[in-house]
Amino acid sequence: TSSLSDIFDVDLAESAGLKTHGVMVMETVGEVVAGINTIGNLAPKLVTLAVKHAEWNVVSEHFPVVGQALLATLEKGLGLRWTAKVRDAWVAVWGEVVGVMEPALRQAYVDKEEQEKREKVRLLVEESWGVVEQD
């Protein structure tokens, strides 16, 4: 199993960037909690978030690691109030979040690859046309 240290290759305790990211993750989790009865309404935001994560080279294998970190954070924060039922509830919610974000992340990579291919074709066509125009 990977850890956040493995993914980011930094000293997590000293990483200002990762601390900032942690705050953003918790804000997003807060939005999920606030909209728990209408989680489907959060789908567009989660899809947008997945697309941004593709730009940062996040891969599907990162979701379980982040999920474990979230659960560990909640367990530590809740202390004795962390029960099997609470854990199961959070696992279910995280599963819904991942269920929206992971397919969107995969699609973002497909879209990115297609865009890169189109750009290569465009450059080759422009370059070759420039040669023809010069002759």
Side-chain angles (χ1 to χ4, degrees):
T1 303
S2 294
S3 70
L4 292 175
S5 297
D6 296 333
I7 291 172
F8 294 107
D9 192 31
V10 294
D11 180 354
L12 298 178
E14 300 301 320
S15 172
L18 197 55
K19 288 176 185 176
T20 300
H21 182 259
V23 168
M24 291 188 303
V25 168
M26 294 309 285
E27 287 173 358
T28 301
V29 170
E31 289 181 38
V32 170
V33 171
I36 196 78
N37 290 327
T38 56
I39 199 159
N41 294 341
L42 292 173
K45 179 172 182 148
L46 294 174
V47 167
T48 299
L49 196 56
V51 171
K52 286 182 185 177
H53 280 72
E55 294 171 10
W56 301 321
N57 298 316
V58 169
V59 293
S60 294
E61 291 78 15
H62 294 161
F63 285 112
V65 177
V66 173
Q68 290 170 3
L70 173 63
L71 294 176
T73 300
L74 292 166
E75 181 177 10
K76 183 178 178 182
L78 289 171
L80 295 176
R81 291 175 288 205
W82 182 253
T83 65
K85 286 183 181 182
V86 170
R87 182 187 186 288
D88 291 348
W90 276 101
V91 167
V93 168
W94 180 249
E96 289 187 43
V97 169
V98 172
V100 172
M101 287 187 69
E102 192 170 22
L105 180 71
R106 284 194 307 269
Q107 186 61 49
Y109 278 112
V110 168
D111 294 347
K112 183 178 176 182
E113 186 177 309
E114 288 175 1
Q115 183 179 358
E116 288 170 355
K117 285 179 184 177
R118 284 192 304 272
E119 181 64 12
K120 286 179 183 177
V121 167
R122 183 190 66 77
L123 290 172
L124 285 171
V125 168
E126 286 179 357
E127 181 182 323
S128 61
W129 183 248
V131 171
V132 169
E133 284 185 317
Q134 289 176 358
D135 288 344

